[in-house]
Coordinates of all heavy atoms in Angstrom, one line a residue:
M26 N 36.2 -45.8 -22.4 CA 35.5 -45.1 -23.4 C 34.3 -44.2 -22.8 O 33.6 -44.7 -22.0 CB 34.9 -46.1 -24.4 CG 34.4 -45.5 -25.7 SD 34.0 -46.8 -27.0 CE 32.5 -47.4 -26.3
D27 N 34.3 -43.0 -23.3 CA 33.2 -42.1 -22.8 C 31.9 -42.5 -23.4 O 31.8 -42.8 -24.6 CB 33.5 -40.7 -23.1 CG 34.6 -40.1 -22.3 OD1 34.9 -40.7 -21.2 OD2 35.2 -39.1 -22.6
T28 N 30.9 -42.5 -22.5 CA 29.5 -42.7 -23.1 C 28.9 -41.3 -23.3 O 28.9 -40.5 -22.4 CB 28.7 -43.5 -22.1 OG1 28.7 -43.0 -20.8 CG2 29.1 -45.0 -22.1
V29 N 28.4 -41.2 -24.5 CA 27.7 -39.9 -24.8 C 26.2 -40.0 -24.4 O 25.6 -41.0 -24.7 CB 27.8 -39.6 -26.3 CG1 27.1 -38.3 -26.6 CG2 29.3 -39.5 -26.7
K30 N 25.8 -39.0 -23.7 CA 24.3 -39.0 -23.4 C 23.5 -39.0 -24.6 O 23.7 -38.3 -25.6 CB 24.0 -37.7 -22.6 CG 24.1 -37.8 -21.1 CD 23.7 -36.5 -20.4 CE 24.4 -36.4 -19.1 NZ 24.1 -35.1 -18.5
E31 N 22.5 -39.9 -24.6 CA 21.7 -40.0 -25.7 C 20.9 -38.8 -26.0 O 20.8 -38.4 -27.2 CB 20.7 -41.2 -25.6 CG 21.4 -42.5 -25.7 CD 20.4 -43.7 -25.8 OE1 19.2 -43.5 -25.8 OE2 20.9 -44.8 -25.8
K32 N 20.4 -38.2 -25.0 CA 19.6 -37.0 -25.2 C 19.7 -36.0 -24.1 O 19.5 -36.3 -23.0 CB 18.1 -37.4 -25.4 CG 17.2 -36.3 -25.8 CD 15.8 -36.8 -26.1 CE 14.8 -35.7 -26.4 NZ 14.0 -35.3 -25.3
E33 N 20.3 -34.8 -24.4 CA 20.3 -33.8 -23.4 C 19.0 -32.9 -23.5 O 18.7 -32.5 -24.5 CB 21.5 -32.9 -23.6 CG 22.8 -33.6 -23.3 CD 23.9 -32.6 -22.7 OE1 23.6 -31.4 -22.6 OE2 24.9 -33.1 -22.3
L34 N 18.4 -32.8 -22.3 CA 17.2 -32.0 -22.3 C 17.6 -30.5 -22.5 O 18.6 -30.1 -22.0 CB 16.5 -32.2 -21.0 CG 15.8 -33.5 -20.8 CD1 15.1 -33.5 -19.4 CD2 14.8 -33.9 -21.9
E35 N 16.7 -29.8 -23.1 CA 16.9 -28.3 -23.2 C 15.7 -27.6 -22.6 O 14.6 -28.2 -22.6 CB 17.0 -27.9 -24.7 CG 18.4 -28.3 -25.2 CD 18.5 -28.1 -26.7 OE1 17.5 -27.5 -27.3 OE2 19.5 -28.5 -27.3
F36 N 15.9 -26.3 -22.2 CA 14.8 -25.5 -21.8 C 13.7 -25.4 -22.9 O 14.0 -25.2 -24.0 CB 15.3 -24.1 -21.4 CG 15.6 -23.9 -20.0 CD1 16.1 -25.0 -19.2 CD2 15.4 -22.7 -19.3 CE1 16.3 -24.8 -17.8 CE2 15.6 -22.5 -18.0 CZ 16.1 -23.6 -17.2
T37 N 12.5 -25.5 -22.5 CA 11.4 -25.3 -23.4 C 11.2 -23.8 -23.6 O 11.8 -23.0 -22.8 CB 10.1 -25.9 -22.8 OG1 9.7 -25.1 -21.7 CG2 10.2 -27.3 -22.5
G38 N 10.4 -23.4 -24.6 CA 10.2 -22.0 -24.8 C 9.6 -21.3 -23.6 O 10.0 -20.2 -23.2
D39 N 8.7 -22.0 -22.9 CA 8.1 -21.4 -21.7 C 9.1 -21.2 -20.6 O 9.1 -20.2 -19.9 CB 7.0 -22.3 -21.1 CG 5.7 -22.2 -21.9 OD1 5.5 -21.2 -22.7 OD2 4.8 -23.1 -21.8
M40 N 10.0 -22.1 -20.4 CA 11.0 -22.1 -19.4 C 12.0 -20.9 -19.7 O 12.4 -20.2 -18.9 CB 11.8 -23.4 -19.3 CG 11.0 -24.5 -18.7 SD 11.8 -26.1 -18.9 CE 12.6 -26.3 -17.3
M41 N 12.4 -20.8 -21.0 CA 13.3 -19.7 -21.4 C 12.7 -18.4 -21.2 O 13.3 -17.4 -20.7 CB 13.7 -19.9 -22.9 CG 14.8 -20.9 -23.1 SD 15.5 -20.9 -24.7 CE 14.3 -21.6 -25.7
E42 N 11.4 -18.3 -21.5 CA 10.7 -17.0 -21.3 C 10.6 -16.6 -19.8 O 10.9 -15.5 -19.4 CB 9.2 -17.1 -21.9 CG 8.5 -15.8 -22.1 CD 7.1 -16.0 -22.6 OE1 7.0 -16.9 -23.5 OE2 6.2 -15.3 -22.2
R43 N 10.3 -17.6 -19.0 CA 10.3 -17.4 -17.5 C 11.7 -17.0 -17.0 O 11.8 -16.1 -16.2 CB 9.9 -18.7 -16.9 CG 9.9 -18.7 -15.4 CD 8.8 -17.9 -14.8 NE 8.9 -17.9 -13.3 CZ 8.3 -17.0 -12.5 NH1 7.6 -16.1 -13.0 NH2 8.4 -17.2 -11.2
D44 N 12.7 -17.6 -17.5 CA 14.1 -17.3 -17.2 C 14.4 -15.8 -17.5 O 15.0 -15.1 -16.7 CB 15.0 -18.3 -18.0 CG 16.3 -18.6 -17.3 OD1 16.2 -18.8 -16.0 OD2 17.3 -18.7 -17.9
D45 N 14.1 -15.4 -18.7 CA 14.3 -14.0 -19.2 C 13.6 -13.0 -18.3 O 14.1 -12.0 -17.9 CB 13.8 -13.8 -20.6 CG 14.8 -14.4 -21.6 OD1 15.9 -14.8 -21.2 OD2 14.5 -14.5 -22.8
I46 N 12.3 -13.4 -18.0 CA 11.5 -12.5 -17.1 C 12.2 -12.2 -15.8 O 12.3 -11.1 -15.3 CB 10.1 -13.0 -16.9 CG1 9.3 -12.9 -18.2 CG2 9.3 -12.3 -15.8 CD1 7.9 -13.6 -18.3
M47 N 12.6 -13.3 -15.2 CA 13.3 -13.2 -13.9 C 14.6 -12.5 -13.9 O 14.9 -11.6 -13.1 CB 13.4 -14.6 -13.2 CG 12.1 -15.2 -12.9 SD 12.2 -16.9 -12.4 CE 12.4 -16.7 -10.6
D48 N 15.4 -12.8 -14.9 CA 16.7 -12.1 -15.0 C 16.5 -10.6 -15.3 O 17.2 -9.8 -14.7 CB 17.5 -12.7 -16.2 CG 18.1 -14.1 -15.9 OD1 18.2 -14.4 -14.7 OD2 18.5 -14.8 -16.8
N49 N 15.6 -10.3 -16.1 CA 15.3 -8.9 -16.4 C 14.8 -8.1 -15.2 O 15.1 -7.0 -15.0 CB 14.3 -8.7 -17.6 CG 15.1 -8.9 -18.9 OD1 16.0 -8.2 -19.2 ND2 14.6 -9.8 -19.7
A50 N 13.9 -8.8 -14.4 CA 13.4 -8.2 -13.2 C 14.5 -7.9 -12.2 O 14.5 -6.8 -11.6 CB 12.3 -9.2 -12.6
V51 N 15.4 -8.8 -12.1 CA 16.6 -8.6 -11.2 C 17.4 -7.5 -11.7 O 17.8 -6.6 -10.9 CB 17.4 -9.9 -11.0 CG1 18.7 -9.6 -10.2 CG2 16.6 -11.0 -10.3
Y52 N 17.6 -7.4 -13.0 CA 18.5 -6.4 -13.6 C 17.8 -5.0 -13.3 O 18.5 -4.0 -12.9 CB 18.6 -6.6 -15.1 CG 19.6 -5.6 -15.8 CD1 20.9 -5.8 -15.6 CD2 19.1 -4.6 -16.5 CE1 21.8 -4.9 -16.2 CE2 19.9 -3.7 -17.1 CZ 21.3 -3.8 -17.0 OH 22.2 -2.9 -17.6
Q53 N 16.5 -4.9 -13.6 CA 15.8 -3.7 -13.3 C 15.8 -3.3 -11.9 O 15.9 -2.1 -11.6 CB 14.3 -3.8 -13.8 CG 14.1 -4.0 -15.3 CD 14.7 -2.8 -16.1 OE1 14.6 -1.6 -15.7 NE2 15.3 -3.1 -17.2
M54 N 15.7 -4.2 -11.0 CA 15.8 -3.9 -9.6 C 17.2 -3.3 -9.2 O 17.3 -2.3 -8.5 CB 15.6 -5.2 -8.7 CG 15.5 -4.9 -7.2 SD 15.8 -6.4 -6.3 CE 17.6 -6.6 -6.4
C55 N 18.3 -3.9 -9.8 CA 19.6 -3.4 -9.6 C 19.7 -1.9 -10.1 O 20.3 -1.1 -9.4 CB 20.7 -4.3 -10.3 SG 20.8 -5.9 -9.5
L56 N 19.2 -1.7 -11.3 CA 19.2 -0.3 -11.8 C 18.5 0.7 -10.9 O 19.0 1.8 -10.6 CB 18.5 -0.2 -13.2 CG 19.1 -1.0 -14.3 CD1 18.3 -0.8 -15.6 CD2 20.6 -0.6 -14.6
A57 N 17.4 0.3 -10.3 CA 16.7 1.1 -9.3 C 17.5 1.3 -8.1 O 17.6 2.5 -7.6 CB 15.4 0.5 -9.0
F58 N 18.2 0.3 -7.6 CA 19.0 0.4 -6.4 C 20.2 1.3 -6.7 O 20.6 2.1 -5.8 CB 19.5 -1.0 -6.0 CG 18.6 -1.7 -5.0 CD1 17.2 -1.9 -5.4 CD2 19.0 -2.2 -3.8 CE1 16.4 -2.5 -4.5 CE2 18.1 -2.9 -3.0 CZ 16.8 -3.1 -3.3
L59 N 20.7 1.2 -7.9 CA 21.9 2.0 -8.2 C 21.6 3.4 -8.7 O 22.5 4.2 -8.9 CB 22.7 1.3 -9.3 CG 23.3 -0.1 -8.9 CD1 23.8 -0.9 -10.1 CD2 24.4 0.1 -7.9
G60 N 20.3 3.7 -8.9 CA 19.9 5.0 -9.3 C 20.3 5.3 -10.7 O 20.6 6.4 -11.1
I61 N 20.3 4.3 -11.6 CA 20.7 4.5 -13.0 C 19.4 4.7 -13.8 O 18.5 3.8 -13.8 CB 21.5 3.2 -13.5 CG1 22.8 3.1 -12.7 CG2 21.8 3.4 -15.0 CD1 23.6 1.8 -13.0
E62 N 19.4 5.8 -14.6 CA 18.3 6.1 -15.4 C 18.3 5.2 -16.7 O 19.3 4.6 -17.0 CB 18.2 7.6 -15.7 CG 18.2 8.5 -14.5 CD 16.8 8.4 -13.7 OE1 15.8 8.0 -14.3 OE2 16.9 8.6 -12.5
S63 N 17.2 5.3 -17.4 CA 17.1 4.3 -18.5 C 18.1 4.4 -19.6 O 18.3 3.4 -20.3 CB 15.7 4.5 -19.1 OG 15.5 5.8 -19.5
D64 N 18.8 5.5 -19.9 CA 19.8 5.6 -21.0 C 21.2 5.1 -20.5 O 21.5 5.2 -19.3 CB 19.8 6.9 -21.7 CG 19.9 8.1 -20.7 OD1 19.5 7.8 -19.5 OD2 20.3 9.2 -21.1
D65 N 22.0 4.6 -21.4 CA 23.3 4.0 -21.2 C 23.4 3.2 -19.9 O 24.4 3.2 -19.2 CB 24.4 5.1 -21.2 CG 24.4 6.1 -20.0 OD1 23.4 6.1 -19.3 OD2 25.4 6.8 -19.9
T66 N 22.4 2.3 -19.7 CA 22.5 1.4 -18.6 C 23.6 0.4 -18.7 O 24.2 0.0 -17.7 CB 21.1 0.7 -18.4 OG1 20.8 0.1 -19.6 CG2 20.0 1.6 -18.0
E67 N 23.8 -0.1 -19.9 CA 24.8 -1.1 -20.2 C 26.2 -0.6 -19.8 O 27.1 -1.4 -19.5 CB 24.8 -1.6 -21.6 CG 23.8 -2.8 -21.8 CD 24.3 -4.1 -21.1 OE1 25.6 -4.4 -21.2 OE2 23.5 -4.8 -20.6
D68 N 26.5 0.7 -20.0 CA 27.8 1.2 -19.6 C 27.9 1.3 -18.1 O 29.0 1.0 -17.6 CB 28.0 2.7 -20.2 CG 28.2 2.6 -21.7 OD1 28.7 1.6 -22.2 OD2 27.9 3.6 -22.3
K69 N 26.9 1.8 -17.5 CA 27.0 2.0 -16.0 C 26.8 0.7 -15.2 O 27.4 0.6 -14.1 CB 25.9 3.0 -15.6 CG 26.3 4.4 -16.1 CD 25.2 5.4 -15.7 CE 25.6 6.8 -16.1 NZ 24.4 7.7 -16.2
F70 N 26.0 -0.2 -15.7 CA 25.8 -1.5 -15.0 C 25.7 -2.6 -16.1 O 24.6 -3.0 -16.5 CB 24.5 -1.4 -14.2 CG 24.3 -2.7 -13.4 CD1 25.2 -3.1 -12.4 CD2 23.2 -3.5 -13.6 CE1 25.0 -4.2 -11.6 CE2 23.0 -4.7 -12.9 CZ 23.9 -5.0 -11.9
P71 N 26.9 -3.1 -16.5 CA 26.9 -4.1 -17.6 C 26.2 -5.4 -17.1 O 26.2 -5.7 -15.9 CB 28.4 -4.4 -17.7 CG 29.1 -3.3 -17.2 CD 28.3 -2.7 -16.1
W72 N 25.5 -6.0 -18.0 CA 24.8 -7.3 -17.7 C 25.8 -8.3 -17.3 O 26.6 -8.8 -18.1 CB 24.0 -7.7 -19.0 CG 23.2 -8.9 -18.8 CD1 23.6 -10.2 -18.9 CD2 21.8 -9.0 -18.5 NE1 22.6 -11.1 -18.7 CE2 21.4 -10.3 -18.5 CE3 20.8 -8.0 -18.3 CZ2 20.1 -10.7 -18.2 CZ3 19.5 -8.4 -18.1 CH2 19.2 -9.8 -18.0
D73 N 25.8 -8.7 -16.0 CA 26.7 -9.7 -15.5 C 25.8 -10.8 -14.9 O 25.3 -10.7 -13.8 CB 27.6 -9.1 -14.5 CG 28.6 -10.1 -13.9 OD1 28.4 -11.3 -14.1 OD2 29.6 -9.7 -13.3
I74 N 25.7 -11.9 -15.6 CA 24.8 -13.0 -15.2 C 25.2 -13.6 -13.8 O 24.3 -14.1 -13.1 CB 24.7 -14.1 -16.3 CG1 23.4 -14.9 -16.1 CG2 25.9 -15.0 -16.4 CD1 22.1 -14.2 -16.3
S75 N 26.5 -13.5 -13.5 CA 26.8 -14.1 -12.2 C 26.3 -13.3 -11.0 O 25.8 -13.8 -10.0 CB 28.4 -14.2 -12.0 OG 29.0 -13.0 -12.0
I76 N 26.3 -11.9 -11.1 CA 25.6 -11.1 -10.1 C 24.1 -11.3 -10.1 O 23.5 -11.5 -9.1 CB 25.9 -9.6 -10.4 CG1 27.4 -9.3 -10.3 CG2 25.1 -8.7 -9.4 CD1 27.8 -7.8 -10.7
L77 N 23.6 -11.3 -11.3 CA 22.1 -11.4 -11.4 C 21.6 -12.8 -10.8 O 20.6 -12.9 -10.1 CB 21.6 -11.3 -12.9 CG 22.0 -10.0 -13.6 CD1 21.5 -10.0 -15.0 CD2 21.4 -8.8 -12.8
N78 N 22.4 -13.9 -11.1 CA 22.0 -15.2 -10.6 C 22.1 -15.3 -9.1 O 21.2 -15.9 -8.5 CB 23.0 -16.2 -11.2 CG 22.5 -16.8 -12.5 OD1 21.3 -16.7 -12.8 ND2 23.3 -17.4 -13.2
E79 N 23.1 -14.6 -8.5 CA 23.2 -14.7 -7.1 C 22.0 -14.0 -6.4 O 21.4 -14.5 -5.4 CB 24.5 -14.1 -6.7 CG 25.0 -14.6 -5.3 CD 26.5 -14.2 -5.1 OE1 27.3 -14.3 -6.0 OE2 26.8 -13.9 -3.9
I80 N 21.6 -12.8 -6.9 CA 20.5 -12.1 -6.4 C 19.2 -12.9 -6.6 O 18.4 -13.0 -5.7 CB 20.4 -10.7 -7.0 CG1 21.6 -9.9 -6.6 CG2 19.1 -10.0 -6.5 CD1 21.7 -8.6 -7.3
R81 N 19.1 -13.5 -7.8 CA 17.9 -14.2 -8.1 C 17.7 -15.4 -7.2 O 16.7 -15.7 -6.7 CB 18.0 -14.6 -9.6 CG 16.9 -15.5 -10.1 CD 17.0 -15.7 -11.5 NE 16.4 -17.0 -11.9 CZ 16.2 -17.4 -13.1 NH1 16.6 -16.7 -14.1 NH2 15.7 -18.6 -13.4
E82 N 18.8 -16.2 -7.1 CA 18.8 -17.4 -6.2 C 18.4 -17.0 -4.8 O 17.6 -17.7 -4.1 CB 20.1 -18.1 -6.2 CG 20.3 -19.0 -7.4 CD 21.7 -19.6 -7.6 OE1 22.4 -19.7 -6.5 OE2 22.1 -19.9 -8.7
F83 N 19.0 -15.9 -4.3 CA 18.7 -15.5 -2.9 C 17.2 -15.1 -2.8 O 16.5 -15.5 -1.8 CB 19.6 -14.3 -2.6 CG 19.2 -13.7 -1.2 CD1 19.6 -14.4 -0.1 CD2 18.5 -12.5 -1.1 CE1 19.3 -13.8 1.2 CE2 18.1 -12.0 0.1 CZ 18.5 -12.6 1.2
T84 N 16.7 -14.4 -3.8 CA 15.3 -13.9 -3.8 C 14.3 -15.1 -3.8 O 13.4 -15.2 -3.0 CB 15.0 -13.0 -5.0 OG1 16.0 -12.0 -5.0 CG2 13.6 -12.4 -4.9
V85 N 14.6 -16.1 -4.7 CA 13.8 -17.3 -4.8 C 13.8 -18.0 -3.4 O 12.7 -18.4 -2.9 CB 14.2 -18.2 -5.9 CG1 13.5 -19.6 -5.9 CG2 14.0 -17.6 -7.3
H86 N 15.0 -18.2 -2.9 CA 15.1 -18.9 -1.6 C 14.4 -18.2 -0.5 O 13.6 -18.8 0.2 CB 16.6 -19.0 -1.3 CG 16.9 -19.6 0.1 ND1 16.8 -20.9 0.3 CD2 17.2 -19.0 1.2 CE1 17.1 -21.1 1.6 NE2 17.3 -20.0 2.2
L87 N 14.5 -16.9 -0.4 CA 13.9 -16.1 0.7 C 12.4 -16.1 0.5 O 11.7 -16.3 1.5 CB 14.4 -14.7 0.6 CG 14.0 -13.8 1.8 CD1 15.2 -13.1 2.4 CD2 12.9 -12.8 1.4
L88 N 11.9 -16.0 -0.7 CA 10.4 -16.0 -0.9 C 9.8 -17.3 -0.5 O 8.8 -17.4 0.1 CB 10.1 -15.6 -2.3 CG 10.3 -14.1 -2.7 CD1 10.1 -13.9 -4.2 CD2 9.3 -13.2 -1.9
R89 N 10.5 -18.4 -0.9 CA 10.0 -19.7 -0.6 C 10.0 -20.0 0.9 O 9.1 -20.6 1.4 CB 10.9 -20.8 -1.4 CG 10.5 -20.9 -2.8 CD 11.4 -21.9 -3.5 NE 11.0 -22.0 -4.9 CZ 11.7 -22.6 -5.8 NH1 12.9 -23.2 -5.5 NH2 11.3 -22.7 -7.1
E90 N 11.1 -19.5 1.5 CA 11.2 -19.7 3.0 C 10.1 -19.0 3.7 O 9.6 -19.4 4.7 CB 12.6 -19.0 3.4 CG 13.2 -19.7 4.6 CD 14.6 -19.1 4.8 OE1 14.7 -17.9 4.9 OE2 15.5 -19.9 4.9
Q91 N 9.6 -17.9 3.1 CA 8.5 -17.1 3.6 C 7.1 -17.7 3.2 O 6.1 -17.1 3.5 CB 8.5 -15.7 3.2 CG 9.8 -14.9 3.8 CD 9.7 -14.8 5.3 OE1 8.7 -14.6 5.9 NE2 10.9 -15.0 5.9
G92 N 7.2 -18.8 2.5 CA 5.9 -19.5 2.2 C 5.3 -19.2 0.9 O 4.2 -19.6 0.5
Y93 N 6.0 -18.4 0.1 CA 5.5 -18.0 -1.3 C 5.9 -19.0 -2.3 O 7.0 -19.7 -2.2 CB 6.0 -16.6 -1.7 CG 5.5 -15.5 -0.8 CD1 6.2 -15.0 0.2 CD2 4.2 -15.0 -1.0 CE1 5.7 -14.0 1.0 CE2 3.7 -14.0 -0.2 CZ 4.5 -13.5 0.8 OH 4.0 -12.5 1.6
Q94 N 5.1 -19.2 -3.3 CA 5.4 -20.1 -4.4 C 6.1 -19.4 -5.5 O 5.6 -18.4 -6.0 CB 4.1 -20.8 -4.9 CG 3.4 -21.6 -3.8 CD 2.1 -22.1 -4.3 OE1 1.4 -21.5 -5.1 NE2 1.6 -23.2 -3.7
V95 N 7.3 -19.9 -5.9 CA 8.0 -19.3 -7.0 C 8.5 -20.4 -7.9 O 9.1 -21.3 -7.5 CB 9.3 -18.6 -6.4 CG1 10.0 -17.9 -7.6 CG2 9.0 -17.6 -5.3
C96 N 8.1 -20.2 -9.2 CA 8.5 -21.2 -10.2 C 9.9 -20.7 -10.8 O 9.9 -19.6 -11.3 CB 7.5 -21.3 -11.3 SG 8.0 -22.6 -12.4
D97 N 10.9 -21.4 -10.6 CA 12.2 -21.1 -11.1 C 12.8 -22.3 -11.8 O 13.5 -23.1 -11.2 CB 13.1 -20.7 -9.8 CG 14.5 -20.4 -10.2 OD1 14.7 -19.9 -11.4 OD2 15.4 -20.5 -9.4
P98 N 12.4 -22.5 -13.0 CA 12.6 -23.7 -13.8 C 14.1 -24.1 -13.9 O 14.9 -23.2 -14.1 CB 12.0 -23.5 -15.1 CG 11.3 -22.1 -15.1 CD 11.8 -21.4 -13.9
Y99 N 14.4 -25.3 -13.9 CA 15.7 -25.8 -14.1 C 15.7 -27.2 -14.6 O 14.7 -27.9 -14.6 CB 16.6 -25.7 -12.8 CG 16.1 -26.6 -11.7 CD1 16.6 -27.9 -11.6 CD2 15.1 -26.2 -10.8 CE1 16.1 -28.7 -10.6 CE2 14.7 -27.0 -9.8 CZ 15.2 -28.3 -9.7 OH 14.7 -29.1 -8.7
I100 N 16.9 -27.6 -15.1 CA 17.0 -29.0 -15.5 C 18.1 -29.7 -14.7 O 19.2 -29.1 -14.5 CB 17.4 -29.1 -17.0 CG1 16.3 -28.6 -17.9 CG2 17.8 -30.6 -17.4 CD1 16.7 -28.4 -19.4
E101 N 17.7 -30.8 -14.0 CA 18.6 -31.5 -13.2 C 19.5 -32.3 -14.1 O 19.1 -33.2 -14.9 CB 17.8 -32.4 -12.3 CG 18.6 -33.2 -11.3 CD 18.7 -32.5 -9.9 OE1 17.6 -32.2 -9.4 OE2 19.8 -32.4 -9.4
R102 N 20.8 -32.0 -14.0 CA 21.8 -32.8 -14.8 C 22.3 -33.9 -14.0 O 23.2 -33.8 -13.1 CB 23.0 -31.9 -15.2 CG 22.6 -30.6 -16.0 CD 22.2 -31.0 -17.4 NE 21.8 -29.7 -18.2 CZ 21.0 -29.8 -19.3 NH1 20.6 -30.9 -19.8 NH2 20.7 -28.7 -19.9
D103 N 21.8 -35.1 -14.3 CA 22.2 -36.3 -13.5 C 22.6 -37.4 -14.6 O 23.0 -37.0 -15.7 CB 21.1 -36.8 -12.7 CG 21.5 -37.4 -11.4 OD1 22.7 -37.9 -11.3 OD2 20.8 -37.3 -10.4
D104 N 22.6 -38.6 -14.2 CA 22.9 -39.7 -15.2 C 21.9 -39.5 -16.3 O 22.3 -39.6 -17.5 CB 22.8 -41.0 -14.6 CG 23.9 -41.3 -13.6 OD1 24.9 -40.6 -13.7 OD2 23.7 -42.1 -12.7
I105 N 20.7 -39.2 -15.9 CA 19.7 -38.9 -16.9 C 19.1 -37.5 -16.6 O 18.8 -37.2 -15.4 CB 18.5 -39.9 -16.8 CG1 19.0 -41.3 -17.1 CG2 17.4 -39.5 -17.9 CD1 18.0 -42.4 -16.7
D106 N 19.1 -36.6 -17.6 CA 18.5 -35.3 -17.4 C 17.1 -35.4 -17.0 O 16.3 -36.2 -17.6 CB 18.7 -34.4 -18.6 CG 20.1 -34.1 -18.9 OD1 21.0 -34.4 -18.1 OD2 20.3 -33.4 -19.9
H107 N 16.6 -34.6 -16.1 CA 15.2 -34.4 -15.9 C 14.8 -33.0 -15.5 O 15.6 -32.3 -14.9 CB 14.6 -35.5 -15.0 CG 15.4 -35.8 -13.8 ND1 15.2 -35.1 -12.6 CD2 16.4 -36.7 -13.6 CE1 16.0 -35.6 -11.7 NE2 16.8 -36.5 -12.3
Y108 N 13.6 -32.7 -15.9 CA 13.0 -31.3 -15.6 C 12.6 -31.3 -14.2 O 12.3 -32.3 -13.5 CB 11.8 -31.1 -16.5 CG 12.1 -30.9 -18.0 CD1 11.7 -31.8 -18.9 CD2 12.8 -29.7 -18.4 CE1 12.0 -31.6 -20.2 CE2 13.0 -29.6 -19.7 CZ 12.6 -30.5 -20.7 OH 12.9 -30.3 -22.0
C109 N 12.7 -30.0 -13.6 CA 12.1 -29.8 -12.3 C 10.7 -30.2 -12.3 O 10.0 -30.2 -13.4 CB 12.3 -28.4 -11.9 SG 11.7 -27.2 -13.1
S110 N 10.1 -30.5 -11.1 CA 8.7 -30.9 -11.1 C 8.0 -29.8 -10.3 O 8.5 -29.1 -9.5 CB 8.5 -32.2 -10.5 OG 9.0 -32.3 -9.2
P111 N 6.6 -29.8 -10.5 CA 5.8 -28.8 -9.8 C 6.0 -28.7 -8.3 O 5.8 -27.7 -7.7 CB 4.4 -29.1 -10.2 CG 4.5 -29.8 -11.6 CD 5.8 -30.6 -11.4
H112 N 6.4 -29.9 -7.7 CA 6.5 -29.8 -6.2 C 7.6 -28.9 -5.8 O 7.6 -28.4 -4.6 CB 6.6 -31.3 -5.6 CG 8.0 -31.8 -5.7 ND1 8.4 -32.7 -6.7 CD2 9.1 -31.6 -4.9 CE1 9.7 -33.0 -6.4 NE2 10.1 -32.4 -5.3
V113 N 8.6 -28.6 -6.7 CA 9.7 -27.7 -6.3 C 9.1 -26.3 -6.2 O 9.5 -25.6 -5.3 CB 10.8 -27.8 -7.3 CG1 11.9 -26.8 -7.0 CG2 11.4 -29.2 -7.4
C114 N 8.4 -25.8 -7.2 CA 7.9 -24.5 -7.1 C 6.6 -24.4 -6.3 O 6.2 -23.3 -5.9 CB 7.6 -23.9 -8.5 SG 6.3 -24.8 -9.5
G115 N 6.0 -25.5 -6.0 CA 4.9 -25.5 -5.0 C 3.5 -25.3 -5.6 O 2.5 -25.4 -4.9
F116 N 3.5 -25.1 -6.9 CA 2.2 -25.0 -7.6 C 1.7 -26.5 -7.9 O 2.5 -27.3 -8.2 CB 2.3 -24.3 -8.9 CG 2.6 -22.8 -8.7 CD1 3.9 -22.4 -8.9 CD2 1.6 -21.9 -8.4 CE1 4.2 -21.0 -8.7 CE2 1.9 -20.6 -8.2 CZ 3.2 -20.1 -8.4
K117 N 0.4 -26.7 -7.7 CA -0.2 -28.0 -8.0 C 0.0 -28.3 -9.4 O 0.3 -29.4 -9.8 CB -1.7 -28.1 -7.6 CG -1.9 -28.2 -6.1 CD -3.3 -28.7 -5.8 CE -3.5 -28.8 -4.3 NZ -3.8 -27.5 -3.7
K118 N -0.2 -27.3 -10.2 CA -0.1 -27.4 -11.6 C 0.7 -26.2 -12.1 O 0.3 -25.1 -11.8 CB -1.5 -27.4 -12.3 CG -1.5 -27.7 -13.8 CD -2.9 -27.9 -14.3 CE -3.0 -28.0 -15.8 NZ -2.7 -26.8 -16.5
C119 N 1.8 -26.5 -12.9 CA 2.6 -25.3 -13.3 C 2.8 -25.5 -14.9 O 3.3 -26.5 -15.3 CB 3.9 -25.3 -12.6 SG 4.9 -23.9 -13.1
E120 N 2.4 -24.5 -15.6 CA 2.5 -24.6 -17.1 C 3.9 -24.7 -17.6 O 4.2 -25.0 -18.7 CB 1.8 -23.4 -17.7 CG 0.3 -23.2 -17.3 CD -0.6 -24.2 -17.9 OE1 -0.3 -24.8 -18.9 OE2 -1.6 -24.5 -17.2
L121 N 4.8 -24.3 -16.7 CA 6.2 -24.2 -17.2 C 7.0 -25.5 -17.1 O 8.1 -25.6 -17.6 CB 7.0 -23.2 -16.3 CG 6.4 -21.7 -16.4 CD1 7.0 -20.8 -15.4 CD2 6.6 -21.2 -17.8
H122 N 6.3 -26.5 -16.6 CA 7.0 -27.8 -16.5 C 6.5 -28.7 -17.6 O 5.3 -29.0 -17.7 CB 6.7 -28.5 -15.2 CG 7.2 -27.7 -14.0 ND1 8.4 -27.9 -13.4 CD2 6.7 -26.7 -13.3 CE1 8.6 -27.0 -12.4 NE2 7.6 -26.3 -12.4
P123 N 7.4 -29.2 -18.4 CA 7.0 -30.1 -19.5 C 6.4 -31.4 -19.0 O 6.7 -31.8 -17.9 CB 8.3 -30.5 -20.3 CG 9.3 -29.5 -19.8 CD 8.9 -29.1 -18.4
Ligands
LIG12 ZN1 6.8 -24.4 -11.8

């Protein structure tokens, strides 16, 4: 018999907002690299989260490797869900962690 998780954690409003900011920043960077002007961007460079995620993960990884603090919120899906903690992003106190 399958056991259903009692409670699945969800992104908080702050985490979702942060997520959007980062995805949009990567998207804008791609537009700049591709030389696409502001109109009909969706035709020339459709929003593809798999491309955006890969660039985003690389960027976060590289910046952290260089010693910069980057908050990139996530939820660890384990036996019990839990939120990332401030020690991951490196800030002593991070408003984005519940
Ligand atoms: Zn954080």
